[in-house]
Amino acid sequence: MRVLVLVLVCLCLNLDSVFARPNLAQSSQNLSTDAPEPFSLVDPVLDYDLFYYDLEGGGNGTGGAGGCGPCDPELCPETRGCRAGLVPDRCGCCQECANLEGQACDPGDRNLFHGLCGSGLRCQADPSPASGEEEEEVCVCEEQEPVCGSDGTTYTNMCQFRQAGFSEPDLQLSARGPCRTVPVIKVPPQNQLNGSGSSLLFLCEVFAFPMALVEWRKDGRDIVLPGDDPHISVQSRGGPLKFELSSWLQIEKAEQSDSGTYHCIARNDLGSVTASAVLRVLEAEELSSHLANSVAEMMQLMDHTDYDQDSY
């Protein structure tokens, strides 16, 4: 009996040691074999922009999420009329027209949504955003100084000159800075009809280099306005663009004697130019009669106009 008990105890001890002892062969195999690391499509920090770029249709022409197949330059569409030059398309395979000055753009060298700027342009925040609109990045010319073309035209900047050269292959750069020219009246004064006692304003905008001197005169009077007339005033200031001058002639409490032709005269050492406008000042009754006649003439004109009944 004692022998049987001893045998059972020995068997239990042997079974316990077998289950408790680690499998050395299996452990050795686990230590010598490296488990494969999980596959990562992109680095979540460094390559996020590239992954996003491919998802949105970019890439290098090797296929993938962006839909860019193998690059075959022979299948690229023909580009014409690219006034700002050529840039790579979204897939980096073909060439497309670059964006012009003032157009929305993608910063950097990746064509994602809006496209890339052309030669001599950089993508930056809009220097003059419209009121109430979100700030966006647009193409801005790197050389903002005006230049003079061989056609005698002053271009706002070098980018505008290059764009003009696309349509005029013979256009050459004559000088840095504006062209020397006699004054040009960009906005002449307009004819006016007003009632007695009203206030009115004439505007005259002039471009010239060298800058022009602007003066106002009235028919039958040799003096430069305003002279000593207290109800007439003249104001001038630079702008709205470079090398432009804006001048206003204002008449307070106009009288019938103020009726006549007013002249805006601009001059520099290269010459002078004049633009005129007619002012009619009527008494209240005369003005009312004039307006009534004008309305009657307009209604009569509408009655005699043949309209196509089938059109809107």
Side-chain angles (χ1 to χ4, degrees):
M1 184 67 180
R2 291 181 177 178
V3 174
L4 180 60
V5 170
L6 291 174
V7 171
L8 291 175
V9 170
C10 290
L11 289 174
C12 291
L13 291 175
N14 288 334
L15 290 172
D16 180 70
S17 62
V18 169
F19 286 104
R21 183 186 305 168
N23 189 330
L24 297 178
Q26 183 67 29
S27 299
S28 176
Q29 182 178 359
N30 291 340
L31 291 174
S32 61
T33 303
D34 295 332
E37 296 182 359
F39 174 73
S40 175
L41 179 62
V42 291
D43 185 272
V45 177
L46 298 180
D47 294 331
Y48 173 77
D49 289 340
L50 180 59
F51 177 59
Y52 181 70
Y53 172 60
D54 288 336
L55 285 179
E56 294 298 335
N60 57 6
T62 59
C68 296
C71 180
D72 186 352
E74 294 184 358
L75 299 179
C76 292
E78 184 178 359
T79 54
R80 295 180 179 179
C82 300
R83 293 182 292 163
L86 298 173
V87 293
D89 65 1
R90 292 188 180 185
C91 294
C93 176
C94 302
Q95 297 285 301
E96 66 181 12
C97 290
N99 290 354
L100 298 168
E101 183 179 18
Q103 290 184 326
C105 56
D106 294 320
D109 56 358
R110 291 180 179 175
N111 187 336
L112 299 177
F113 300 102
H114 304 295
L116 302 177
C117 297
S119 175
L121 296 160
R122 63 174 177 269
C123 190
Q124 67 177 48
D126 191 348
S128 55
S131 177
E133 293 187 1
E134 295 184 3
E135 186 175 294
E136 66 176 4
E137 293 179 316
V138 298
C139 297
V140 177
C141 189
E142 295 178 341
E143 299 181 64
Q144 285 294 328
E145 293 302 316
V147 295
C148 179
S150 56
D151 57 353
T153 300
T154 296
Y155 295 91
T156 306
N157 53 46
M158 196 65 184
C159 299
Q160 295 294 324
F161 172 78
R162 292 194 187 102
Q163 292 180 32
F166 176 82
S167 303
E168 303 177 32
D170 295 333
L171 182 65
Q172 300 292 327
L173 181 65
S174 293
R176 295 279 179 173
C179 301
R180 291 177 57 86
T181 178
V182 296
V184 177
I185 296 181
K186 304 284 288 289
V187 179
Q190 302 297 312
N191 297 335
Q192 297 191 44
L193 172 65
N194 221 319
S196 179
S198 60
S199 296
L200 50 92
L201 194 71
F202 286 113
L203 168 66
C204 187
E205 289 183 4
V206 179
F207 170 84
F209 184 77
M211 287 290 290
L213 173 67
V214 177
E215 63 183 29
W216 293 86
R217 293 178 181 268
K218 182 186 176 185
D219 276 349
R221 301 179 64 178
D222 294 332
I223 62 174
V224 177
L225 298 175
D228 57 357
D229 197 328
H231 79 298
I232 297 179
S233 60
V234 173
Q235 295 182 354
S236 299
R237 71 178 182 187
L241 301 177
K242 288 183 178 180
F243 309 106
E244 288 188 358
L245 183 70
S246 296
S247 184
W248 296 269
L249 175 94
Q250 184 172 9
I251 302 177
E252 297 282 352
K253 297 180 179 179
E255 304 171 354
Q256 283 189 310
S257 59
D258 292 318
S259 297
T261 303
Y262 290 81
H263 305 274
C264 169
I265 306 169
R267 61 167 56 92
N268 62 9
D269 57 1
L270 299 177
S272 64
V273 63
T274 302
S276 304
V278 176
L279 171 64
R280 289 184 61 193
V281 180
L282 306 178
E283 294 294 341
E285 294 182 0
E286 188 179 3
L287 179 61
S288 298
S289 176
H290 176 82
L291 294 176
N293 291 336
S294 298
V295 172
E297 291 177 0
M298 184 179 300
M299 295 299 294
Q300 186 177 9
L301 179 62
M302 293 177 63
D303 290 340
H304 286 81
T305 301
D306 293 330
Y307 291 99
D308 186 350
Q309 298 299 326
D310 295 331
S311 63
Y312 294 91

